[in-house]
Amino acid sequence: MTILIPVLGDQVSHDLASLRDIPRGEAVVLMMEVVEETTYVRHHKRKIALIFSAMRHFAEELRAAGWQVDYVRLDDPDNTGSFTGEVARAVARHRPTAIRIVESGEWRVKTMIDGWSKRFGIPVEDLNDDRFICGILEFQTWAQSRGDLVMEFFYREMRRKTGLLMQPDGKPEGGQWNLDKENRAPPKRGLNYPEPMYFTPDAITDEVLALVARRFAGHFGRLEKFALPVTAHEARQALTHFIRTALPDFGTYQDAMVTGQDWLYHSWLSPALNLGLLTPLEVAQAAVDAYAAGEAPLNAVEGFVRQIIGWREYVRGYYWLEMPDVATANALEATRPLPEFYWTGETDMLCMAEAVRNTRDHGYAHHIQRLMVLGNFAMLAGVRPQEVADWFLVVYADAYEWVELPNVIGMSQHADGGRMATKPYAGGGAYINRMSDHCGRCRYDVKQKTGPDACPFNALYWDFLARHERRFRGNRRMSNMYGTWDKMQPEARAAYRDSAAAFLDALEPAAQGWAR
C-alpha cells in the first residue's frame, strides 16, 4: 500500500497534518514546481525564488528524516506545468492506493483537488490545515452567529482560545483588549531603525536564483541581494532577531513611513509565516514571552499579536466564507485601469514612488504603505478592484490569494460593500503628512488643496466622497467628513472636483500583460 502525499509550495511545515500518523515506508511525498503556479499571475521574481528555494530545502530535510520524496523541478523536460498533470504522472509512477493532502489555501487549487478522486479513481483525503488557529468551519460558525463580521470581536475569541495575553480571571492583560490608540505615533527624527536579519544564499538558493533570472526575466521585481530565510531554522533566527531588536518599538511606530527606510520596526516574517516555515502560535508566543520577561511593552506586543492571531486568521476565514463571489465584487463600480506607475514607480508623488520602489526591490511594503498609500490611492481614483487585487498578488512575496484578496477587496478597496470594513479607508494628504516624512520632500505641496501643484490625495479624497455621497452620507463613521463638505462653498467643492478630474485624466494606464 502506497499513499501519495502532495505537499504544496506554501506547506513546507514538518508538522503538516498529511505527514502525521503515517509510516514513512508507506508514503511518497510529491513536491512540484509547476509553471502554471508561477504565471497564473506573473509573480514577483523574489517570490518565485523564495518558494522554490524553500521547497527544495524542505525536500532535502524530508529525505534526511526518512521520507521518500518525488520532487519535480521546473526544468524537468517531462514537467506538465500543472498540479493535476504532475499528480497524474505521480499516480502512474507510484500506483498509490490513496492521495492524502492538506487543504489548499486558494479556491482555484481547491477546485483542482476536488476533481482528483474522480479523475484518478482513488480516494483523496483532504485534511484541515491545522497550522491555522481557527479552522474554516469554526470561522463560518462564528460568522453565522453574528450580524456583522467585526474583526475586533473575532480577535477576542482568538485571545480566549489561545490564552495569549489573558489573565487567569479571563480578562485581557492590562485591562484592555486593544491598544491601537498607542500605536499611531508619527516618526521622530533620529530614530535608530534596526535592519532585519539577512541570510546569505547557499548553493540551493543560488541555483534557484539563476533559474528564476533565466525563466522569469520579464516578471516584475528584482532578485539582487536576495536574503530571505528559506528554512524553518533560518526563520526562527529571524523571529528571534525581530523580538530582540525591533519589537519594543514596533507598536508605537508601526504606522510610520520614512523615506529610504524600507523596514522601520516591522518584522518581515510574513513570507516565512505564509510559507509554513513558522507557525502563528510560535510567532505570537515569542512576542508574549518577551513581554513577560520585561523585554517589550504591552502596546507593542498586543499590536503584533493582534496582527497574527486576529487579522491574519480573520482574513483567511473571510476568504473561504465569501468565495467565490468576493473575487468579482465591485460595490463602488470602479472602472479605471491601474496606472502605469504602480509598475514603474515613475510618479512625482513621493509616497507612491517610495512604496513602489520598496515593493519592486524587496517584494515588500509594510501595512500602512499597502493600505493608506497604494490601496487608498487606487480606491480614491476609482481603479477597478480586480486589477488592484491582481497587482497586490503579483508584487508581494507574502501574497497568497487567501490573505491578499480579502485585504484588497474588503479592506483596501471597500469593493465588498462594507462586509468587512464599516467605512472605507480613505485619507487625504494630511494623513500621509502626519505619518511620514514624504511630504516635505515631495514635488507636490500637501498644504495646497487644489491646482496642479497641490498634493493629488487632497482633491481625490473629496472627489471620492462626492462621487459616493449617496452610499456613504448615512454612515455614522463618516458624518464628520460630510459635515465638513457641507460647510464648503460651492466654488471650493467645484475646485476639488475639477482638480481631481484633471489629475485623473492625465494618468497613464498600465501596459497590458504586467499582471497576467
Side-chain angles (χ1 to χ4, degrees), residues 214-398:
R214 183 173 66 253
R215 288 289 299 271
F216 304 101
H219 283 221
F220 178 77
R222 291 177 175 168
L223 283 173
E224 294 85 0
K225 299 181 180 179
F226 181 95
L228 288 164
V230 294
T231 67
H233 176 69
E234 289 181 345
R236 292 188 183 108
Q237 287 182 296
L239 171 61
T240 299
H241 178 80
F242 163 72
I243 295 294
R244 184 179 68 251
T245 65
L247 178 62
D249 288 307
F250 163 78
T252 303
Y253 299 109
Q254 66 173 287
D255 288 1
M257 297 174 282
V258 178
T259 305
Q261 291 288 343
D262 295 342
W263 315 106
L264 289 88
Y265 295 105
H266 293 269
S267 71
W268 193 212
L269 294 170
S270 52
L273 188 59
N274 291 351
L275 273 173
L277 299 176
L278 295 169
T279 68
L281 274 179
E282 74 176 308
V283 172
Q285 187 64 59
V288 172
D289 290 346
Y291 168 71
E295 297 169 356
L298 183 58
N299 71 304
V301 173
E302 187 279 317
F304 184 70
V305 167
R306 181 163 16 99
Q307 290 189 1
I308 303 299
I309 72 167
W311 190 252
R312 182 176 184 270
E313 297 284 327
Y314 173 85
V315 296
R316 190 244 188 176
Y318 175 97
Y319 174 81
W320 287 106
L321 180 71
E322 299 294 323
M323 280 294 282
D325 292 344
V326 70
T328 56
N330 189 0
L332 301 185
E333 300 179 345
T335 58
R336 186 176 301 278
L338 190 78
E340 176 72 3
F341 63 69
Y342 273 78
W343 298 110
T344 66
E346 295 175 2
T347 171
D348 288 338
M349 292 180 289
L350 183 59
C351 58
M352 292 291 296
E354 272 291 283
V356 174
R357 179 199 58 76
N358 197 3
T359 299
R360 181 190 63 233
D361 291 353
H362 305 298
Y364 167 80
H366 73 68
H367 68 281
I368 292 298
Q369 289 176 303
R370 299 192 201 196
L371 177 63
M372 295 306 298
V373 177
L374 297 161
N376 181 29
F377 181 91
M379 182 180 67
L380 298 181
V383 176
R384 183 173 175 270
Q386 283 66 42
E387 292 195 36
V388 184
D390 275 356
W391 184 82
F392 272 84
L393 185 58
V394 165
V395 301
Y396 291 115
D398 57 1

Side-chain angles (χ1 to χ4, degrees), residues 162-185:
T162 62
L164 293 170
L165 294 177
M166 296 297 294
Q167 297 176 349
D169 62 1
K171 294 181 180 180
E173 184 70 26
Q176 297 181 65
W177 291 101
N178 187 317
L179 299 176
D180 204 32
K181 290 182 180 179
E182 300 179 28
N183 293 344
R184 300 171 182 167

